[in-house]
Amino acid sequence: MSVQERLSDALYGLGWGTVKKLPEPVAVRLGRTIADLAFQQGGKGVKRLESNYARVVPDATPERLAELTRAGMRSYLRYWMESFRLPAWSAERIRTGFEAKDLHHLTDGLAAGRGVVLALPHLANWDLAGAWVTTELKTPFTTVAERLKPETLYDRFVAYREGLGMEVLPHSGGSAFGTLARRLRDGGLVCLVADRDLSASGVEVEFFGETARMPAGPALLAQQTGALLLPVTLWYDDSPVMRGRVHPPVEVPGTGTRAEKTSVMTQALADAFATGIADHPEDWHMLQRLWLADLEPRPADGEEA
């Protein structure tokens, strides 16, 4: 394990061990202070966030873009402060910490015994939304997590999410898709963060006027299992309560090849995500490259990476 990996693991451990013990107003102020400091330093992630916001709000002035990026960092640190504290929240605090519009799309699908796939972008706090589902709706669900380095850090994230009532599968390894499909065929719930492709098999979509790549998994799962595919968007306002919306189902096209159907469905997800992100851009925590124009070209076959 490298020094950087040990440091990352120690910092996250400190967050979950210390921040969750702070009074909520103190944690809020701490998050805002860290966010403002990170914004002022203007590191790689902050610059990437600003670049991404420039596509979401193309007519923004430099001053507006800077203001939006600062707000985005504050939202991002609110996510982390809440996540560090979630394991210590009471069931009542979780239940009152989130409010969802058009929830009937989800509850009707579950009541019908039909599997449901919820697909979300990196908006606001998806962990809080998940904890609300397991607490308020008393519905367990399955998700996947990117394997992080060091392994101990990945284990921390898995333990944290399992402690909130989630079944967590590793993104890598090849067995996750089959397990998700089984859960859905049994009428279960699957939740996937789906606005950034982590593989080489993503689907190209138009996203804020440019081409990006998003994962095919949600659309493929819906096709293969008959599950309902529902986009979800989240946002913060000035209150302690996070808001959310369950969008209408993304239907499986009646004609076309599997690849063609997957392309149409993934574009529909991207369009729903774009609606939520455009309404609340500061709550979109995308500090990585997303659009193909920003990604380094993949090496051709036979070339070294």
Side-chain angles (χ1 to χ4, degrees):
M1 187 189 301
S2 69
V3 173
Q4 183 176 356
E5 288 174 348
R6 286 198 298 270
L7 179 60
S8 296
D9 184 49
L11 287 174
Y12 281 107
L14 181 65
W16 272 300
T18 302
V19 173
K20 72 179 181 181
K21 299 176 183 176
L22 296 176
E24 189 157 345
V26 176
V28 169
R29 288 196 299 272
L30 176 62
R32 181 161 291 199
T33 299
I34 295 172
D36 289 349
L37 180 60
F39 171 74
Q40 292 165 11
Q41 291 178 339
K44 184 178 178 181
V46 173
K47 290 178 180 176
R48 177 55 55 191
L49 183 66
E50 184 175 69
S51 174
N52 290 339
Y53 285 160
R55 284 183 167 94
V56 175
V57 191
D59 58 348
T61 63
E63 293 78 16
R64 167 61 180 144
L65 203 54
E67 176 185 307
L68 183 59
T69 304
R70 179 174 182 150
M73 289 304 297
R74 287 184 170 186
S75 176
Y76 184 50
L77 264 295
R78 175 174 172 175
Y79 158 76
W80 278 113
M81 291 296 126
E82 286 180 348
S83 295
F84 287 144
R85 291 173 51 76
L86 263 176
W89 280 16
S90 67
E92 180 64 18
R93 178 68 180 88
I94 292 172
R95 281 194 292 265
T96 59
F98 177 55
E99 184 177 281
K101 296 181 178 180
D102 299 326
L103 187 64
H104 65 91
H105 292 305
L106 170 59
T107 54
D108 289 352
L110 292 173
R114 187 177 181 182
V116 177
V117 180
L118 295 181
L120 307 88
H122 285 80
L123 272 169
N125 191 338
W126 46 97
D127 285 330
L128 172 55
W132 185 86
V133 167
T134 60
T135 303
E136 174 66 15
L137 300 185
K138 295 181 172 54
T139 302
F141 66 87
T142 305
T143 188
V144 297
E146 180 183 1
R147 277 205 175 276
L148 303 171
K149 292 184 178 180
E151 192 75 14
T152 51
L153 180 55
Y154 171 77
D155 291 341
R156 286 185 190 274
F157 272 96
V158 169
Y160 155 65
R161 290 184 169 128
E162 288 180 342
L164 298 175
M166 312 175 193
E167 179 188 22
V168 183
L169 307 175
H171 181 272
S172 58
S175 64
F177 189 91
T179 302
L180 295 174
R182 286 193 295 274
R183 300 291 183 270
L184 292 168
R185 290 191 182 101
D186 290 339
L189 177 63
V190 165
C191 300
L192 301 171
V193 179
D195 57 343
R196 179 169 174 257
D197 180 50
L198 294 174
S199 70
S201 58
V203 178
E204 290 190 3
V205 296
E206 181 178 321
F207 197 55
F208 291 102
E210 292 191 44
T211 303
R213 189 181 289 114
M214 294 187 181
L220 288 172
L221 284 166
Q223 290 178 62
Q224 293 192 19
T225 68
L228 201 63
L229 176 56
L230 300 174
V232 175
T233 53
L234 309 170
W235 66 92
Y236 290 128
D237 56 20
D238 294 329
S239 78
V241 180
M242 185 178 71
R243 316 293 174 176
R245 178 190 174 198
V246 182
H247 294 252
V250 172
E251 302 292 345
V252 178
T255 60
T257 65
R258 185 174 71 168
E260 289 168 344
K261 292 178 181 179
T262 301
S263 178
V264 170
M265 295 172 73
T266 306
Q267 182 64 61
L269 283 181
D271 292 343
F273 294 167
T275 298
I277 292 168
D279 287 344
H280 304 278
E282 69 278 5
D283 292 324
W284 189 41
H285 308 150
M286 185 55 66
L287 281 71
Q288 300 84 18
R289 293 176 295 177
L290 179 72
W291 283 272
L292 298 193
D294 293 336
L295 298 173
E296 295 177 358
R298 288 192 171 94
D301 291 344
E303 294 182 5
E304 294 184 1

